[in-house]
Each structure stands twice: as C-alpha cells, then as structure tokens.
Amino acid sequence: MSKPQGARQPTIKEVANLAGVSPMTASRTLAGGRNVRPDLQERVMAAVRELGYFRNENARSLRPGQPSGLIGIAITNLANPYYGSFALGVEEVAAEHGRRIILGNTGEDVARERQLVSDFIGRQVDGLILVPTSGDAAHLRPERLGHVPLVLASRRVPGLDVDTVLLDDVGGSYRGTISLLDAGHTRIGFLGNRTSVFTGERRYRGFERAMTERGVPIDTAIVARDQQDVDAASRAARVMLDLDEPPTAIFSANNRNSIGALREIGRRIRDGLPGPHPSMVSFDDFELSELMPVPVTVIDHDARLLGREAATLLFARLDDDTAEAARTVELPVTIEYP
Amino acid sequence: MSKPQGARQPTIKEVANLAGVSPMTASRTLAGGRNVRPDLQERVMAAVRELGYFRNENARSLRPGQPSGLIGIAITNLANPYYGSFALGVEEVAAEHGRRIILGNTGEDVARERQLVSDFIGRQVDGLILVPTSGDAAHLRPERLGHVPLVLASRRVPGLDVDTVLLDDVGGSYRGTISLLDAGHTRIGFLGNRTSVFTGERRYRGFERAMTERGVPIDTAIVARDQQDVDAASRAARVMLDLDEPPTAIFSANNRNSIGALREIGRRIRDGLPGPHPSMVSFDDFELSELMPVPVTVIDHDARLLGREAATLLFARLDDDTAEAARTVELPVTIEYP
DNA sequence: CTGTTAGCGCGTTCAG
DNA sequence: CTGAACGCGCTAACAG
C-alpha cells in the first residue's frame, strides 16, 4: 500500500527513517556493523527486511576507486557448447571472487564486438575477457579501453600485447594428423575455419607440419577452410567425398566441422553409398564421439578450464596490478584414440 | 602522460573542459545533439575521441526512472548446451531492445539463486529471467523483488503467479511414449530428473498417462528419477539393463539422461554383451542422434526460441506495464522418428 | 542555443 | 559510537 506502483527500490534513507537512525548508521550496519550499537543494528536489519531493501550497487560503484564487481565477457557463439562451457568457467572463478559476469555474443561480427566493449566500459567493468572476433585491434588497445584489464581467450589479436589463454593448437593438430599417418592414411582431407580466424590458421599449421614431415603431399582439392557452421561443413564434406579420389581420412579443425562431416558420413552409410568411409580426427570433443560409425580420434581439451584460466589471469592482474608483462598460457590438449 | 595510472575513466566534465564548453552541452551532444550548434558538437566529439570517453552507465541509471539497461538471467547449468542456447536466445532479444544481460549460474542451488537475485536487484536490473531451481518461492515474490518484472522459463514455481514460458512437457512425453507402445514395446524404462524438478514431474506424467491409457503396467524397478548428470544416468541405465528382465525400450526425460543411457548402451554393444539393445525416446535433442547404434526418437524443441520467448514476454511487460495478469506460453515440441 | 543548479544513492571525512 | 556535509558522474529543470 505504501509502495508506489513504479517499482522504485527503497533507499538507505528510507531504511534509516524506518529504523529511526541516520542513513550513516544504516550504511555502517550494512557494511558489517563495526562501531554500531547492537540494538541499532538489529533495528536497521529489521527495517531492511521489512522494506525488502537491496543496496544499490551502481550508486556504490560511483565512488572513485570502488570496483563495480562486474566482469565483461564477449564470446563469438554462445550456442556452441564449447563457449557455453567456457563462459561457465569464467563465471565460476568470477563468483569465487565475488564478481558477476555480464555477457554478450558477438556472432563473429567486429562491429558488434566494438559496441559490446564500449557498453562494458560504460558499465565500469573491472575487467574484460573476450574471444576476439578478428584482426582489427584498434578498439582493443589498452588506452582505448581506459586501461581496463583485458584477457584474450582462444585467439590472439595481431599487434595486441595482452594476457592470453590459448590451446596448444599446433601441437594437437600435429599429433592428431600423425596418428592418421601412422594408421597408413596418405589421402587426408582437411575441414577448417575461415583462414582469418586465428585458431583455424594454427590448426592448419599443425596439420601441414605433420604432412610435410612425412613427405605426404597436401591436395588442395580436399582442403576446405571456410566453414563456420554445421551445414556448411556437411556440404564441404560431401563435395570431398564425391570426388573420384575421395580422402580416406578427414581432419576436422573444430567441433562444428566435425559434426557436419559426421552427419554427411552417416548419411552416406545409411544411403548405402559405397565406402570405404573415412576415419576422422576431430579437434574439439563432442558427446558420444565413441558411438560414431567410423573411427574418431578426438583432440580434446577442457573449455571450462580455458574459461577458468582466463579469469584467473584477469584476477591476477586485478589484484597485483604490478604492470607486469603480458602473459600467455597455452593449455595442453589430449589425444583420445578410438 | 596525463592519465594517472589508476585506470580512471575520463568524465564528461573533462570532455567539456577539453572542448571548451559546459558539461551540459557535452551531455546534450552525446544524447543526440538536439539543440546544440553543429560546431560545438564537433568539438565535443573530437574531445570524446581524444580522451577515449565512455558514458558512465551506472551514474546515468542513478537518476530515478532511468532504466539500467540490464537484464538479469539465472540459469541452472550453463554447461548444458540447452541452457547455452537458451541464454543466447535471451541475449539476442535483449540486444534488439538495446539491453545487456548479466548472467549467473545457480547449479540447482537455491541459496546461490537467492544470492544472485539479490545482486541483480542491487544492480538495478530492468527485469529478471530465470530457470528456477526449486520450490522455494519466498525470495521470488514480487514485493521481495521490488516489483522488478520476473519471467520464469522451463519451470514453474508453486504459488508464484508470474509470466512463464514452458514446453509442452506432458504432451511431448505422452506422444513419445505412445510411439514406443505402438512399436510393440511393453517393458519401457524411465530415466528422469529429480522428482522435485518441475519438468521431471511433468514429463513423468506424460509417460504415465500413455502407459495407463494403454493398460501397460509401470514397473518401478525400471524407473529411475534421480539423475542430474551424465554419469549418474549411465549408472542408472546400467542397473536397469543388468536386470533379469531388462527394458526393451527406454524413455529419457532429458538430454543429460539420454547421453548417459546411450553411453552405457554403446559400451554394452562394444563389449559384445547380448542384446536386444533397447530403443530410446529422448526428450531434448542432441547432435548426431541419427547416428546412434539403436533407434532414437527425439522429442525436440528449440531452446533458443524458449529464450527468445521468455525475453519477449519480459519486454512486453516492461513496455506495456499495464499490470495485466500473468501469462503462460507453452511452446510445442516436435517428435522426430528415427 | 547554452549554462547553472540541484539531486539521484551511497560512503568517506570530519565533527560532535 | 553517531550524525552532517560533501561529492562521485550524470542530466532534468530552470534560468539566461
């Protein structure tokens, strides 16, 4: 009955009035109660409960030096289970440090990324974690960010010297490819990301290195590096497998391409098309990979851990602040044979 | 050289000084430039660029009636691809309305949920979307939320009359179960969520209705309703399938249970254990379900759409504000036969 | 068209 | 131990 319909939140002043004390006493009570008489504290807390009072964190962070308690995180595709796990990892560590995350999806669009970052800064985030979307570094330079600490995950941005968490893309791809070569394959297809994407480049490099080392030529007819989603990957696999000399094995540089390729391979098996159907190596795990109709070797890593590591790097910088040089952490990957 | 190392953001006052105008002129320029001479606008914008100024959104939202532009969203498990997609759906619609989302993971823990909601309110969110974690509604009652609009997704909370987006859990489960009965199965196992979870209850009800309607008895020995993750689901499936009279088909009430059951079925097939191996119905889709070694019928729905719908309901209330009765939207599911 | 004043909710500083 | 005053960054409302 007393509350206006406008959903206005009660203020500390109203709490103080109801408790019959000054706003400062209420504030001190909420801050832990040091130097406040217990009976007054009790009255304040009662008023808080009665009014349903919550401290206004925004007003609080207005005060200079007060952190907002927010970490901004921008990722490229939340619908990809990998990035969901990644975000969870960041969220966990942030929660351990009493921070909240504020999240945006870039969809691999630089303009959107720029917009998100501005907004995050405008909300006074204590730090930023992002999976950068491309090579344009201008809006990410420290001075443009008001020197808010930034951690990059998964990918590096050329010319930007900041804390970064990466996977051992090259090593993983190399070892995965070697396992195919060891199994006797010499005609190996490659499915990957757009070349411009950092990880796509690195994973191709590992593949290339293994092939070159063993003296196996790479046939560009069975290299497709431009698929960003499952459907495109399916189509690319189809084209390859319809060739007169189809690959006997396929290296897929990420989760989306693996799913797409397997969908196509499954279709061919169901339709009774002649084999042999290709073995696969997949960079990125996916659930039930062990039940696939062709052997799948998985280059596995822990996206959640990647997120945790990124957050850890960020908090290290927030706490120490001792303008140390940018650090890069490269997380290992494990190869799981079929 | 001018910037103190403390990463303090430039203020509108500094912008105004540099441009040689008053803070109000700068403010008006940033607000769109109405009633500001073009040449002054240009000077302001130049100062903004030079200083790398961003409007302080927190200070902005301090002003009464000013929305914060934040939507709080709490989900139970970000690592579940379903909730990742759900969050993406919310994020998309929020972005269309110029809002940002602030996100927390409850891990099915009520205390954590309560804490998150407090924090969200404290940050002056314009609205809340949550996948509630259990039956305790006290901290979610409108007056406790300062009348910040709340939308529930996936689950309802008893005694809480707010906007809600649900799936057709009962109907979907019913139809999925019927498809098994039609195929001649009479010994059908059930894998599901903790009973307390709203969807677990509803999905069991659909299962039960179909069985009862066809006069097929439910054997509690092959009903397991307490698995929240893949490993637990695997174990439950194993126990069932090791019985003297194992089920010839399994109804799984969610993604996690489906993956767990299939993992166990796959293991048995690889280990050469005697069949016949059970057919499955899975509430929730998962990738590559068409490649499974046993027939899988999928009760499919679109988590991203669920998120979009929840956000749509929320913005409808934010815009109209005409204290209408709580609405419930029940999204259809589709059955995909193997 | 532009500038001044005032106040949003809170907590630091300084008096009582 | 308690309270009053001030200011954080910003923008309505009111002069000019």
Side-chain angles (χ1 to χ4, degrees):
Chain A
M1 53 175 59
S2 61
K3 194 162 303 177
Q5 65 275 51
R8 213 182 47 78
Q9 299 297 331
T11 75
I12 200 169
K13 201 180 289 182
E14 301 175 47
V15 170
N17 284 346
L18 184 59
V21 298
S22 81
M24 263 324 295
T25 300
S27 174
R28 279 194 262 258
T29 301
L30 291 168
R34 284 184 54 80
N35 294 349
V36 180
R37 249 167 40 213
D39 58 318
L40 289 188
Q41 289 196 44
E42 199 31 69
R43 273 171 33 207
V44 169
M45 292 317 281
V48 164
R49 279 190 298 273
E50 169 152 358
L51 292 174
Y53 168 80
F54 296 96
R55 229 178 1 196
N56 185 329
E57 294 294 332
N58 290 348
R60 209 150 176 267
S61 74
L62 205 54
R63 186 151 290 286
Q66 286 295 328
S68 67
L70 289 176
I71 302 297
I73 138 171
I75 59 190
T76 52
N77 179 11
L78 237 196
N80 185 334
Y82 263 90
Y83 289 118
S85 295
F86 173 80
L88 178 63
V90 175
E91 199 269 350
E92 284 174 358
V93 175
E96 288 162 15
H97 289 252
R99 310 300 216 288
R100 214 59 63 217
I101 68 175
I102 150 171
L103 187 112
N105 201 67
T106 62
E108 301 280 2
D109 175 354
V110 198
R112 180 98 183 94
E113 175 181 294
R114 200 182 347 250
Q115 188 185 18
L116 276 173
V117 167
S118 313
D119 186 89
F120 289 162
I121 301 285
R123 294 187 192 283
Q124 314 302 111
V125 293
D126 300 337
L128 286 168
I129 292 181
L130 69 112
V131 179
T133 207
S134 93
D136 183 10
H139 61 294
L140 297 179
R141 290 218 313 282
E143 62 278 20
R144 298 263 284 162
L145 260 34
H147 296 91
V148 172
L150 166 68
V151 175
L152 298 181
S154 250
R155 310 173 182 174
R156 204 191 283 286
V157 172
L160 197 62
D161 186 35
V162 300
D163 290 336
T164 307
V165 191
L166 298 176
L167 293 174
D168 179 14
D169 295 301
V170 180
S173 298
Y174 172 84
R175 289 192 287 147
T177 307
I178 286 289
S179 82
L180 289 177
L181 292 164
D182 280 347
H185 293 282
T186 55
R187 190 151 176 78
I188 304 176
F190 182 96
L191 293 174
N193 265 350
R194 261 200 289 260
T195 316
S196 66
V197 172
F198 181 78
T199 50
E201 186 50 41
R202 299 200 347 142
R203 292 175 189 177
Y204 185 76
R205 195 148 25 133
F207 169 77
E208 196 176 28
R209 179 180 299 171
M211 297 285 274
T212 307
E213 195 174 297
R214 294 291 175 93
V216 177
I218 295 177
D219 180 355
T220 55
I222 53 174
V223 169
R225 305 174 63 184
D226 206 26
Q227 308 80 243
Q228 295 285 25
D229 60 55
V230 170
D231 286 341
S234 256
R235 287 192 299 271
R238 182 169 194 164
V239 169
M240 255 177 221
L241 295 173
D242 278 341
L243 291 176
D244 288 339
E245 276 192 277
T248 63
I250 293 178
F251 180 100
S252 158
N254 63 41
N255 181 295
R256 299 294 83 190
N257 275 287
S258 304
I259 302 290
L262 283 161
R263 198 163 273 175
E264 169 65 11
I265 293 171
R267 189 188 66 82
R268 301 174 89 89
I269 293 177
R270 276 199 312 283
D271 291 357
L273 270 65
H277 299 288
S279 301
M280 286 209 54
V281 169
S282 166
F283 206 116
D284 291 349
D285 188 22
F286 53 94
E287 288 182 325
L288 302 177
S289 60
E290 77 271 25
L291 299 188
M292 294 298 112
V294 294
V296 179
T297 296
V298 167
I299 304 167
D300 191 20
H301 63 273
D302 188 341
R304 180 151 144 261
L305 185 60
L306 194 71
R308 292 192 63 97
E309 206 61 42
T312 302
L313 233 44
L314 180 65
F315 285 113
R317 199 156 289 271
L318 284 177
D319 297 344
D320 288 11
D321 198 29
T322 50
E324 290 196 32
R327 277 191 288 175
T328 294
V329 174
E330 193 163 290
L331 295 180
V333 300
T334 62
I335 314 267
E336 284 162 15
Y337 301 96
Chain B
M1 51 177 60
S2 62
K3 195 163 301 178
Q5 64 275 51
R8 211 182 48 77
Q9 300 296 333
T11 75
I12 200 170
K13 201 180 288 183
E14 301 176 47
V15 170
N17 283 347
L18 184 58
V21 298
S22 82
M24 260 327 290
T25 299
S27 174
R28 280 194 263 257
T29 300
L30 291 169
R34 283 185 54 78
N35 294 349
V36 179
R37 243 167 44 212
D39 58 319
L40 290 189
Q41 289 197 43
E42 199 29 72
R43 268 162 49 199
V44 170
M45 292 317 281
V48 163
R49 279 191 297 274
E50 169 151 0
L51 293 174
Y53 168 80
F54 295 96
R55 228 172 10 189
N56 184 329
E57 295 294 332
N58 290 348
R60 215 152 113 74
S61 75
L62 205 55
R63 184 154 295 285
Q66 285 297 326
S68 67
L70 290 176
I71 302 297
I73 139 169
I75 60 190
T76 52
N77 179 11
L78 236 196
N80 185 333
Y82 263 90
Y83 289 118
S85 296
F86 173 80
L88 178 63
V90 175
E91 200 270 349
E92 284 174 356
V93 175
E96 289 161 16
H97 289 251
R99 311 299 217 287
R100 216 58 63 219
I101 68 176
I102 149 171
L103 187 110
N105 201 67
T106 63
E108 301 280 1
D109 175 355
V110 198
R112 180 100 183 93
E113 175 180 295
R114 198 181 351 249
Q115 188 184 18
L116 275 174
V117 168
S118 311
D119 186 89
F120 289 162
I121 302 285
R123 294 187 192 282
Q124 314 302 110
V125 293
D126 300 337
L128 286 168
I129 291 180
L130 68 113
V131 179
T133 207
S134 92
D136 183 12
H139 62 294
L140 297 180
R141 291 220 312 284
E143 63 277 19
R144 298 263 284 162
L145 259 34
H147 296 91
V148 171
L150 166 67
V151 174
L152 299 181
S154 249
R155 311 173 182 173
R156 205 191 281 286
V157 171
L160 197 62
D161 186 35
V162 300
D163 290 336
T164 307
V165 191
L166 298 176
L167 293 175
D168 179 15
D169 294 302
V170 180
S173 298
Y174 171 84
R175 289 192 286 148
T177 307
I178 286 290
S179 80
L180 288 177
L181 292 163
D182 281 347
H185 294 283
T186 55
R187 191 153 174 78
I188 305 176
F190 183 96
L191 293 174
N193 265 349
R194 261 201 289 263
T195 316
S196 66
V197 171
F198 180 78
T199 50
E201 186 51 40
R202 291 184 18 123
R203 291 175 189 178
Y204 184 76
R205 196 151 22 137
F207 170 77
E208 195 176 29
R209 179 179 299 173
M211 297 286 273
T212 307
E213 195 174 298
R214 293 291 176 92
V216 178
I218 295 176
D219 180 354
T220 55
I222 54 173
V223 168
R225 304 174 62 184
D226 206 25
Q227 307 81 241
Q228 296 285 24
D229 60 54
V230 170
D231 286 341
S234 255
R235 287 192 299 273
R238 182 169 194 163
V239 169
M240 256 177 221
L241 295 172
D242 277 341
L243 291 176
D244 288 339
E245 277 191 277
T248 63
I250 293 179
F251 180 101
S252 158
N254 63 42
N255 179 295
R256 298 295 83 191
N257 274 287
S258 304
I259 302 289
L262 283 162
R263 198 165 272 175
E264 169 64 11
I265 294 170
R267 190 188 63 81
R268 301 173 89 88
I269 292 175
R270 274 199 312 282
D271 291 357
L273 269 65
H277 300 287
S279 302
M280 287 208 53
V281 169
S282 166
F283 207 116
D284 291 349
D285 187 22
F286 54 93
E287 287 182 324
L288 302 178
S289 59
E290 76 271 25
L291 299 188
M292 294 298 112
V294 295
V296 179
T297 296
V298 167
I299 304 167
D300 190 20
H301 63 273
D302 187 342
R304 180 151 145 260
L305 185 61
L306 194 72
R308 293 191 63 97
E309 206 61 42
T312 302
L313 233 44
L314 180 65
F315 285 113
R317 199 157 288 273
L318 285 177
D319 297 343
D320 287 11
D321 198 27
T322 50
E324 290 196 32
R327 277 190 288 175
T328 293
V329 174
E330 193 164 289
L331 296 180
V333 300
T334 61
I335 314 266
E336 284 163 14
Y337 300 96

